[in-house]
Amino acid sequence: MIKVENISKSFNNKVKAVDNLSFTVNDGEIVGFIGPNGAGKTTTMKMMTGILPIENGDIFLNDYSIKTDTLKAKEILGYIADSPDMFLRLKGIDFLNFIADIYKISLDERKERIKEFAGKFDLEKELSQTMQSYSHGMRQKMMVIAALVHNPAVWILDEPLIGLDPKSAYELKSMMRNHADKGNSVLFSTHILEVAEKLCDKVVIINKGRSVFMGTLDDLKLKYQNKTLEEIFLTLTN
């Protein structure tokens, strides 16, 4: 479960990026986190993972506070950042082993998971190459594998589908659904409303750091009848 309770974040004591935001991702749910550029999605996710300090409020990952139980919260967290351009001088396999070392994953477990994920994303041959030589999409696949190599209970994914080819996007969406079906929590941000409609159990739409809608897309469409999802989104965020 993910519980975001009245969190706020300002930059330079002026710009309010996140403003008293609250929402919950229950066990077994995939929740889409939707909003225009600059709405506060990435800032919120960085607070959820401990990258940015929380100004007010708190965030709980399976009852662990990211403020006071930081290490325990991070141990159960899988995070895909908004940019895959990291650790580029490492070979792919060295990067994955580095992440597995951090989470103290046994050699047998990591070998099995890396083999499984590399197969799903067609990266077996590229693992021996430096990540600097990878395309954007290949780097994105590596970030996905690194985020999941320790089999985390909570997934927080910031625009995870950007740059993925259709097969890899399909594989990741299937993995997200399977993970939620096992009773775990998945939060992911996206600009693709059709993906949210097909994949999400609920959506949280934010604008200027505040929540403007929380619930199912069926509820949203019922509230704004005779409008397309795109028209509803523009209405809520205009």
Side-chain angles (χ1 to χ4, degrees):
M1 177 180 285
I2 303 169
K3 291 180 68 177
V4 176
E5 297 184 345
N6 306 111
I7 62 168
S8 296
K9 181 67 179 177
S10 298
F11 293 103
N12 300 322
N13 295 318
K14 294 179 180 179
V15 180
K16 199 98 172 183
V18 179
D19 189 3
N20 198 37
L21 181 64
S22 298
F23 62 88
T24 299
V25 182
N26 293 310
D27 294 338
E29 282 186 340
I30 300 176
V31 173
F33 198 34
I34 302 172
N37 293 335
K41 301 186 301 298
T42 293
T43 299
T44 298
M45 289 183 157
K46 286 184 176 179
M47 286 192 284
M48 296 171 77
T49 57
I51 296 172
L52 289 176
I54 302 171
E55 206 168 89
N56 296 302
D58 205 345
I59 297 168
F60 297 88
L61 308 180
N62 284 6
D63 296 327
Y64 293 121
S65 164
I66 196 67
K67 292 173 71 173
T68 59
D69 300 307
T70 307
L71 285 180
K72 289 182 178 179
K74 289 183 178 182
E75 283 176 357
I76 62 168
L77 168 68
Y79 172 58
I80 298 176
D82 57 333
S83 171
D85 297 329
M86 295 177 280
F87 301 98
L88 298 184
R89 294 190 178 183
L90 291 179
K91 294 179 181 178
I93 190 63
D94 293 336
F95 168 62
L96 295 177
N97 277 315
F98 168 64
I99 298 298
D101 285 341
I102 291 174
Y103 287 100
K104 300 178 181 178
I105 307 303
S106 71
L107 292 177
D108 288 342
E109 281 184 289
R110 73 177 67 178
K111 186 176 179 180
E112 181 179 339
R113 290 175 190 163
I114 290 171
K115 181 179 179 181
E116 176 190 354
F117 292 145
K120 284 181 181 292
F121 294 121
D122 298 321
L123 281 178
E124 299 101 318
K125 295 179 181 178
E126 286 75 18
L127 290 179
S128 61
Q129 301 173 15
T130 61
M131 292 168 59
Q132 200 163 22
S133 68
Y134 290 4
S135 67
H136 177 89
M138 291 165 62
R139 293 175 188 175
Q140 184 72 0
K141 294 176 191 180
M142 289 297 296
M143 294 303 115
V144 172
I145 297 173
L148 307 183
V149 72
H150 62 296
N151 194 27
V154 174
W155 293 9
I156 298 174
L157 316 179
D158 195 354
E159 296 285 356
L161 300 173
I162 288 182
L164 294 185
D165 57 80
K167 177 183 179 295
S168 298
Y170 174 81
E171 291 287 357
L172 179 55
K173 287 184 283 186
S174 297
M175 291 163 65
M176 291 164 66
R177 184 72 269 168
N178 290 336
H179 189 67
D181 288 344
K182 292 177 182 177
N184 299 303
S185 306
V186 179
L187 176 74
F188 80 103
S189 65
T190 181
H191 288 104
I192 308 171
L193 298 178
E194 292 80 5
V195 170
E197 184 174 24
K198 293 178 180 177
L199 189 60
C200 296
D201 301 299
K202 295 190 309 190
V203 295
V204 176
I205 301 177
I206 68 169
N207 190 39
K208 297 180 181 178
R210 289 175 172 252
S211 169
V212 293
F213 178 81
M214 287 183 282
T216 69
L217 282 169
D218 285 341
D219 290 338
L220 184 62
K221 288 188 284 187
L222 188 63
K223 185 176 180 180
Y224 294 90
Q225 296 183 31
N226 302 319
K227 285 191 175 184
T228 66
L229 278 177
E230 186 177 49
E231 289 170 338
I232 295 171
F233 176 79
L234 292 172
T235 298
L236 288 171
T237 59
N238 193 351

